[in-house]
Amino acid sequence: MKWTTRLVLAMVLGMGAGIPPAASAAESVKIEVMYTSDIHGGISKSRGTFLNPQFPPPIGGGASAATYIGKVREQAEKLGRPVFLFDSGDIFQGTLVGKRTEGQAVVEWMNEVGYTASALGNHDFDLGWEVTQRMLQTANFPMMALNVYEAGTDKRVSWMDGPLFTEAHGIKIAVLGYCTESTVNMALDKNIEGLEFRPVHEEIAKDVPWARQEGADLVIVLMHVGLPWYPEHQKEYSLMVERAEAGELPHANMNAMEIAYTIPGIDLIFAGHTHTGYNEPWEDPVNHTIVFEPFANGSSIGHVTLELDPRTKSIMGYETHTGRGALVTLFEEEHWPDHAMDEVIGAKVAVVEEGMQDVVGETEVYLDRRSSEAGLMGFVVADAHRDACNADFAIQNTGGVRADLPIGRITEKDLFEVSPFDNQLMSISMKGSMLKQILEDKVSTRGFSLFISGGKIRFDPTRPEGDRIIDFRIGGEPYDPDRVYTVAMTNYLATGNSGLWRVRDEIPDSDKVVMGTSDFTALVEYVRKLGVIRMRNDGRVVRVDPS
């Protein structure tokens, strides 16, 4: 049993401080909570390359999740415990079965296993808000984005679900869901036309007191917003406190730690978006909000048993269910896939993947996407874009490369999982000075968030912003600030997303050429041309350590 700070304070202060003593174990009640996020269409079986690139263990996907969920429900029924199942967004985009069914296959699976509620994520708008609306119509549970309004009004979008109020052991629970406000910088304009994504923290700050006034004893927030990377939790917390003391909080695009710190009254947050799972939750020392976040792509499910005090109607503590904490990896051999669910998913996958198992090449090296400095998969993608556009240079955002490829044969399906968005390639003419400025915009103290092709950069993140690139070469020669280069990129980047606002605002449309091919098609054709990939790190992006 893990005890929250709330309970510790109650035990220390006791009745003299106006806090009732904690209920005894006999008086407490329990509920089971399971949670997912960033499924990205990952309901079919997959390979756990993130665990072992050479010999990836089988992951059972939605059918193994159904097995685990079913066992939890069965045990909970025997013990008289309510069960809740939450998701924090980015439901379907990323696999063929997710995209080609426009999310319907994933939502139908979520219906079948009995989700309680979900938030929406930025990628849930990738095929346009009409597709998002159809998913909500299919869902048997509320899918929420309470910070999304009809543009130019103070009306929340009418076709989206509102807050969920439910009850467990006589304790009234409000569930509120939010989509990252940075969706406006991550989605094509046409896909979110007429929608306004307001700051998540501003909406939560209004909604939590309202939910309390409506009688909620516990407030649960589902948000497509994540925690900082876990090894840096304490460091990030200290920096956050310094920002707060300097008056720099709140601010736009606040992370889950900042929201838990600045907004009182939230009992639990189930976070997402960053694809980083946390075996142990983060509990804010001030407001005592407990924040959970799972891994992505259907590889795991979180599970926690909450112990509640029915008198004070508050959380006493929680239990986790694996040796390492709250996250359960869905290994096929440990959680044997539910047979009926496996057949249903398999049938849908077979339809959408027909013809996609054709081998187009092979790789002799493991292709990963871990960083702009060493991500060989990202290098291949950028090279493919440059080749398709016959360009001098190519830029690809790191977040647009969605999968690694292990050593061995490569199919069209594999490449779709790498580039699932069907973005269109563009060739853009710009001076070397503009290209360097665009690259400078992407160099931060944490690194460089682009894959490039056709050149090399060396950068020092300790230098002043705007002057961190200390060497930039194109085609083996120092770049010429006055020369006009052709630069390949996707229409997603050309319309200003991922921080490339200069391309949208400072380069005339007459210098932008749509090539008539998608990033996925370009990647397939490039791998076919290579036949065998023997990519090595060629030092195209190098971070200089000034020490």
PDB file of all heavy atoms in Angstrom, residues 202-225:
ATOM      1  N   GLU A 202      -6.274  26.967 -18.163  1.00  0.00           N
ATOM      2  CA  GLU A 202      -7.320  27.960 -17.912  1.00  0.00           C
ATOM      3  C   GLU A 202      -8.689  27.294 -17.777  1.00  0.00           C
ATOM      4  O   GLU A 202      -9.495  27.686 -16.919  1.00  0.00           O
ATOM      5  CB  GLU A 202      -7.345  28.988 -19.041  1.00  0.00           C
ATOM      6  CG  GLU A 202      -6.122  29.896 -19.080  1.00  0.00           C
ATOM      7  CD  GLU A 202      -6.186  30.923 -20.191  1.00  0.00           C
ATOM      8  OE1 GLU A 202      -7.223  30.952 -20.920  1.00  0.00           O
ATOM      9  OE2 GLU A 202      -5.229  31.689 -20.354  1.00  0.00           O
ATOM     10  N   GLU A 203      -8.942  26.294 -18.616  1.00  0.00           N
ATOM     11  CA  GLU A 203     -10.235  25.615 -18.564  1.00  0.00           C
ATOM     12  C   GLU A 203     -10.351  24.748 -17.307  1.00  0.00           C
ATOM     13  O   GLU A 203     -11.401  24.698 -16.665  1.00  0.00           O
ATOM     14  CB  GLU A 203     -10.430  24.773 -19.827  1.00  0.00           C
ATOM     15  CG  GLU A 203     -10.471  25.589 -21.109  1.00  0.00           C
ATOM     16  CD  GLU A 203     -11.541  26.664 -21.081  1.00  0.00           C
ATOM     17  OE1 GLU A 203     -12.728  26.320 -20.858  1.00  0.00           O
ATOM     18  OE2 GLU A 203     -11.206  27.848 -21.269  1.00  0.00           O
ATOM     19  N   ILE A 204      -9.270  24.064 -16.951  1.00  0.00           N
ATOM     20  CA  ILE A 204      -9.305  23.249 -15.732  1.00  0.00           C
ATOM     21  C   ILE A 204      -9.532  24.116 -14.503  1.00  0.00           C
ATOM     22  O   ILE A 204     -10.296  23.757 -13.603  1.00  0.00           O
ATOM     23  CB  ILE A 204      -8.002  22.434 -15.588  1.00  0.00           C
ATOM     24  CG1 ILE A 204      -7.891  21.387 -16.699  1.00  0.00           C
ATOM     25  CG2 ILE A 204      -7.944  21.747 -14.227  1.00  0.00           C
ATOM     26  CD1 ILE A 204      -6.620  20.576 -16.659  1.00  0.00           C
ATOM     27  N   ALA A 205      -8.878  25.280 -14.478  1.00  0.00           N
ATOM     28  CA  ALA A 205      -9.027  26.176 -13.323  1.00  0.00           C
ATOM     29  C   ALA A 205     -10.473  26.628 -13.142  1.00  0.00           C
ATOM     30  O   ALA A 205     -10.900  26.934 -12.020  1.00  0.00           O
ATOM     31  CB  ALA A 205      -8.106  27.385 -13.483  1.00  0.00           C
ATOM     32  N   LYS A 206     -11.234  26.681 -14.233  1.00  0.00           N
ATOM     33  CA  LYS A 206     -12.660  27.021 -14.130  1.00  0.00           C
ATOM     34  C   LYS A 206     -13.507  25.792 -13.819  1.00  0.00           C
ATOM     35  O   LYS A 206     -14.470  25.866 -13.049  1.00  0.00           O
ATOM     36  CB  LYS A 206     -13.148  27.648 -15.439  1.00  0.00           C
ATOM     37  CG  LYS A 206     -12.536  29.004 -15.771  1.00  0.00           C
ATOM     38  CD  LYS A 206     -13.186  29.613 -16.988  1.00  0.00           C
ATOM     39  CE  LYS A 206     -13.033  28.759 -18.228  1.00  0.00           C
ATOM     40  NZ  LYS A 206     -13.598  29.398 -19.437  1.00  0.00           N
ATOM     41  N   ASP A 207     -13.150  24.667 -14.438  1.00  0.00           N
ATOM     42  CA  ASP A 207     -14.016  23.486 -14.375  1.00  0.00           C
ATOM     43  C   ASP A 207     -13.949  22.766 -13.033  1.00  0.00           C
ATOM     44  O   ASP A 207     -14.947  22.188 -12.586  1.00  0.00           O
ATOM     45  CB  ASP A 207     -13.655  22.514 -15.494  1.00  0.00           C
ATOM     46  CG  ASP A 207     -13.986  23.061 -16.879  1.00  0.00           C
ATOM     47  OD1 ASP A 207     -14.765  24.031 -16.950  1.00  0.00           O
ATOM     48  OD2 ASP A 207     -13.466  22.520 -17.869  1.00  0.00           O
ATOM     49  N   VAL A 208     -12.782  22.764 -12.392  1.00  0.00           N
ATOM     50  CA  VAL A 208     -12.655  22.029 -11.130  1.00  0.00           C
ATOM     51  C   VAL A 208     -13.548  22.635 -10.037  1.00  0.00           C
ATOM     52  O   VAL A 208     -14.314  21.905  -9.394  1.00  0.00           O
ATOM     53  CB  VAL A 208     -11.180  21.953 -10.680  1.00  0.00           C
ATOM     54  CG1 VAL A 208     -11.078  21.423  -9.252  1.00  0.00           C
ATOM     55  CG2 VAL A 208     -10.389  21.051 -11.628  1.00  0.00           C
ATOM     56  N   PRO A 209     -13.515  23.959  -9.813  1.00  0.00           N
ATOM     57  CA  PRO A 209     -14.441  24.521  -8.813  1.00  0.00           C
ATOM     58  C   PRO A 209     -15.906  24.273  -9.185  1.00  0.00           C
ATOM     59  O   PRO A 209     -16.737  24.021  -8.300  1.00  0.00           O
ATOM     60  CB  PRO A 209     -14.102  26.011  -8.812  1.00  0.00           C
ATOM     61  CG  PRO A 209     -12.716  26.100  -9.350  1.00  0.00           C
ATOM     62  CD  PRO A 209     -12.602  24.993 -10.337  1.00  0.00           C
ATOM     63  N   TRP A 210     -16.211  24.363 -10.490  1.00  0.00           N
ATOM     64  CA  TRP A 210     -17.583  24.098 -10.924  1.00  0.00           C
ATOM     65  C   TRP A 210     -17.994  22.669 -10.581  1.00  0.00           C
ATOM     66  O   TRP A 210     -19.099  22.431 -10.074  1.00  0.00           O
ATOM     67  CB  TRP A 210     -17.697  24.334 -12.426  1.00  0.00           C
ATOM     68  CG  TRP A 210     -18.990  23.840 -13.007  1.00  0.00           C
ATOM     69  CD1 TRP A 210     -20.193  24.471 -13.004  1.00  0.00           C
ATOM     70  CD2 TRP A 210     -19.195  22.575 -13.649  1.00  0.00           C
ATOM     71  NE1 TRP A 210     -21.152  23.684 -13.613  1.00  0.00           N
ATOM     72  CE2 TRP A 210     -20.564  22.516 -14.020  1.00  0.00           C
ATOM     73  CE3 TRP A 210     -18.370  21.500 -13.954  1.00  0.00           C
ATOM     74  CZ2 TRP A 210     -21.111  21.415 -14.671  1.00  0.00           C
ATOM     75  CZ3 TRP A 210     -18.909  20.402 -14.607  1.00  0.00           C
ATOM     76  CH2 TRP A 210     -20.266  20.363 -14.954  1.00  0.00           C
ATOM     77  N   ALA A 211     -17.097  21.694 -10.842  1.00  0.00           N
ATOM     78  CA  ALA A 211     -17.411  20.293 -10.544  1.00  0.00           C
ATOM     79  C   ALA A 211     -17.625  20.097  -9.044  1.00  0.00           C
ATOM     80  O   ALA A 211     -18.521  19.350  -8.622  1.00  0.00           O
ATOM     81  CB  ALA A 211     -16.295  19.385 -11.050  1.00  0.00           C
ATOM     82  N   ARG A 212     -16.830  20.772  -8.233  1.00  0.00           N
ATOM     83  CA  ARG A 212     -17.012  20.686  -6.780  1.00  0.00           C
ATOM     84  C   ARG A 212     -18.374  21.259  -6.368  1.00  0.00           C
ATOM     85  O   ARG A 212     -19.072  20.689  -5.529  1.00  0.00           O
ATOM     86  CB  ARG A 212     -15.888  21.432  -6.068  1.00  0.00           C
ATOM     87  CG  ARG A 212     -14.490  20.858  -6.274  1.00  0.00           C
ATOM     88  CD  ARG A 212     -14.288  19.576  -5.520  1.00  0.00           C
ATOM     89  NE  ARG A 212     -12.913  19.086  -5.667  1.00  0.00           N
ATOM     90  CZ  ARG A 212     -12.489  17.926  -5.192  1.00  0.00           C
ATOM     91  NH1 ARG A 212     -13.322  17.124  -4.531  1.00  0.00           N
ATOM     92  NH2 ARG A 212     -11.237  17.546  -5.363  1.00  0.00           N
ATOM     93  N   GLN A 213     -18.734  22.377  -6.984  1.00  0.00           N
ATOM     94  CA  GLN A 213     -20.028  22.982  -6.675  1.00  0.00           C
ATOM     95  C   GLN A 213     -21.184  22.067  -7.080  1.00  0.00           C
ATOM     96  O   GLN A 213     -22.253  22.086  -6.458  1.00  0.00           O
ATOM     97  CB  GLN A 213     -20.159  24.329  -7.382  1.00  0.00           C
ATOM     98  CG  GLN A 213     -19.250  25.403  -6.825  1.00  0.00           C
ATOM     99  CD  GLN A 213     -19.223  26.655  -7.676  1.00  0.00           C
ATOM    100  OE1 GLN A 213     -19.990  26.777  -8.632  1.00  0.00           O
ATOM    101  NE2 GLN A 213     -18.333  27.580  -7.340  1.00  0.00           N
ATOM    102  N   GLU A 214     -20.947  21.286  -8.127  1.00  0.00           N
ATOM    103  CA  GLU A 214     -21.968  20.347  -8.588  1.00  0.00           C
ATOM    104  C   GLU A 214     -22.037  19.095  -7.717  1.00  0.00           C
ATOM    105  O   GLU A 214     -22.817  18.191  -8.003  1.00  0.00           O
ATOM    106  CB  GLU A 214     -21.689  19.961 -10.039  1.00  0.00           C
ATOM    107  CG  GLU A 214     -21.897  21.086 -11.036  1.00  0.00           C
ATOM    108  CD  GLU A 214     -23.343  21.538 -11.104  1.00  0.00           C
ATOM    109  OE1 GLU A 214     -24.220  20.667 -11.294  1.00  0.00           O
ATOM    110  OE2 GLU A 214     -23.597  22.752 -10.953  1.00  0.00           O
ATOM    111  N   GLY A 215     -21.208  19.027  -6.706  1.00  0.00           N
ATOM    112  CA  GLY A 215     -21.286  17.929  -5.758  1.00  0.00           C
ATOM    113  C   GLY A 215     -20.203  16.879  -5.868  1.00  0.00           C
ATOM    114  O   GLY A 215     -20.254  15.858  -5.171  1.00  0.00           O
ATOM    115  N   ALA A 216     -19.208  17.097  -6.718  1.00  0.00           N
ATOM    116  CA  ALA A 216     -18.148  16.096  -6.873  1.00  0.00           C
ATOM    117  C   ALA A 216     -17.290  16.015  -5.613  1.00  0.00           C
ATOM    118  O   ALA A 216     -16.809  17.030  -5.106  1.00  0.00           O
ATOM    119  CB  ALA A 216     -17.274  16.433  -8.072  1.00  0.00           C
ATOM    120  N   ASP A 217     -17.098  14.801  -5.120  1.00  0.00           N
ATOM    121  CA  ASP A 217     -16.190  14.569  -3.988  1.00  0.00           C
ATOM    122  C   ASP A 217     -14.761  14.365  -4.482  1.00  0.00           C
ATOM    123  O   ASP A 217     -13.803  14.782  -3.830  1.00  0.00           O
ATOM    124  CB  ASP A 217     -16.643  13.332  -3.207  1.00  0.00           C
ATOM    125  CG  ASP A 217     -18.048  13.473  -2.670  1.00  0.00           C
ATOM    126  OD1 ASP A 217     -18.336  14.483  -1.995  1.00  0.00           O
ATOM    127  OD2 ASP A 217     -18.883  12.578  -2.937  1.00  0.00           O
ATOM    128  N   LEU A 218     -14.634  13.699  -5.618  1.00  0.00           N
ATOM    129  CA  LEU A 218     -13.332  13.481  -6.243  1.00  0.00           C
ATOM    130  C   LEU A 218     -13.377  14.040  -7.665  1.00  0.00           C
ATOM    131  O   LEU A 218     -14.384  13.894  -8.362  1.00  0.00           O
ATOM    132  CB  LEU A 218     -12.991  11.987  -6.314  1.00  0.00           C
ATOM    133  CG  LEU A 218     -12.801  11.223  -5.009  1.00  0.00           C
ATOM    134  CD1 LEU A 218     -12.491   9.760  -5.301  1.00  0.00           C
ATOM    135  CD2 LEU A 218     -11.688  11.836  -4.164  1.00  0.00           C
ATOM    136  N   VAL A 219     -12.279  14.653  -8.093  1.00  0.00           N
ATOM    137  CA  VAL A 219     -12.170  15.179  -9.451  1.00  0.00           C
ATOM    138  C   VAL A 219     -11.013  14.476 -10.149  1.00  0.00           C
ATOM    139  O   VAL A 219      -9.870  14.515  -9.679  1.00  0.00           O
ATOM    140  CB  VAL A 219     -11.954  16.702  -9.468  1.00  0.00           C
ATOM    141  CG1 VAL A 219     -11.722  17.183 -10.901  1.00  0.00           C
ATOM    142  CG2 VAL A 219     -13.152  17.410  -8.860  1.00  0.00           C
ATOM    143  N   ILE A 220     -11.331  13.818 -11.255  1.00  0.00           N
ATOM    144  CA  ILE A 220     -10.341  13.111 -12.064  1.00  0.00           C
ATOM    145  C   ILE A 220     -10.203  13.847 -13.394  1.00  0.00           C
ATOM    146  O   ILE A 220     -11.208  14.139 -14.051  1.00  0.00           O
ATOM    147  CB  ILE A 220     -10.758  11.649 -12.305  1.00  0.00           C
ATOM    148  CG1 ILE A 220     -10.803  10.886 -10.981  1.00  0.00           C
ATOM    149  CG2 ILE A 220      -9.813  10.968 -13.286  1.00  0.00           C
ATOM    150  CD1 ILE A 220     -11.342   9.470 -11.102  1.00  0.00           C
ATOM    151  N   VAL A 221      -8.976  14.140 -13.796  1.00  0.00           N
ATOM    152  CA  VAL A 221      -8.712  14.825 -15.060  1.00  0.00           C
ATOM    153  C   VAL A 221      -7.984  13.878 -16.006  1.00  0.00           C
ATOM    154  O   VAL A 221      -6.958  13.284 -15.643  1.00  0.00           O
ATOM    155  CB  VAL A 221      -7.879  16.105 -14.829  1.00  0.00           C
ATOM    156  CG1 VAL A 221      -7.359  16.640 -16.157  1.00  0.00           C
ATOM    157  CG2 VAL A 221      -8.715  17.161 -14.126  1.00  0.00           C
ATOM    158  N   LEU A 222      -8.529  13.734 -17.209  1.00  0.00           N
ATOM    159  CA  LEU A 222      -7.858  13.043 -18.304  1.00  0.00           C
ATOM    160  C   LEU A 222      -7.323  14.120 -19.233  1.00  0.00           C
ATOM    161  O   LEU A 222      -8.085  14.987 -19.670  1.00  0.00           O
ATOM    162  CB  LEU A 222      -8.829  12.133 -19.059  1.00  0.00           C
ATOM    163  CG  LEU A 222      -9.793  11.279 -18.237  1.00  0.00           C
ATOM    164  CD1 LEU A 222     -10.705  10.479 -19.165  1.00  0.00           C
ATOM    165  CD2 LEU A 222      -9.038  10.361 -17.294  1.00  0.00           C
ATOM    166  N   MET A 223      -6.050  14.112 -19.516  1.00  0.00           N
ATOM    167  CA  MET A 223      -5.511  15.183 -20.361  1.00  0.00           C
ATOM    168  C   MET A 223      -4.461  14.653 -21.320  1.00  0.00           C
ATOM    169  O   MET A 223      -3.633  13.799 -20.969  1.00  0.00           O
ATOM    170  CB  MET A 223      -4.911  16.301 -19.513  1.00  0.00           C
ATOM    171  CG  MET A 223      -3.730  15.891 -18.650  1.00  0.00           C
ATOM    172  SD  MET A 223      -2.817  17.321 -18.007  1.00  0.00           S
ATOM    173  CE  MET A 223      -3.979  18.008 -16.853  1.00  0.00           C
ATOM    174  N   HIS A 224      -4.540  15.159 -22.554  1.00  0.00           N
ATOM    175  CA  HIS A 224      -3.500  14.823 -23.524  1.00  0.00           C
ATOM    176  C   HIS A 224      -2.353  15.815 -23.367  1.00  0.00           C
ATOM    177  O   HIS A 224      -1.991  16.590 -24.253  1.00  0.00           O
ATOM    178  CB  HIS A 224      -4.055  14.840 -24.942  1.00  0.00           C
ATOM    179  CG  HIS A 224      -3.187  14.093 -25.902  1.00  0.00           C
ATOM    180  ND1 HIS A 224      -2.999  12.728 -25.824  1.00  0.00           N
ATOM    181  CD2 HIS A 224      -2.410  14.506 -26.931  1.00  0.00           C
ATOM    182  CE1 HIS A 224      -2.175  12.339 -26.771  1.00  0.00           C
ATOM    183  NE2 HIS A 224      -1.785  13.403 -27.446  1.00  0.00           N
ATOM    184  N   VAL A 225      -1.787  15.770 -22.172  1.00  0.00           N
ATOM    185  CA  VAL A 225      -0.666  16.605 -21.750  1.00  0.00           C
ATOM    186  C   VAL A 225       0.164  15.727 -20.837  1.00  0.00           C
ATOM    187  O   VAL A 225      -0.382  15.003 -20.000  1.00  0.00           O
ATOM    188  CB  VAL A 225      -1.153  17.856 -20.988  1.00  0.00           C
ATOM    189  CG1 VAL A 225       0.030  18.662 -20.479  1.00  0.00           C
ATOM    190  CG2 VAL A 225      -2.055  18.721 -21.863  1.00  0.00           C
TER     191      VAL A 225
END
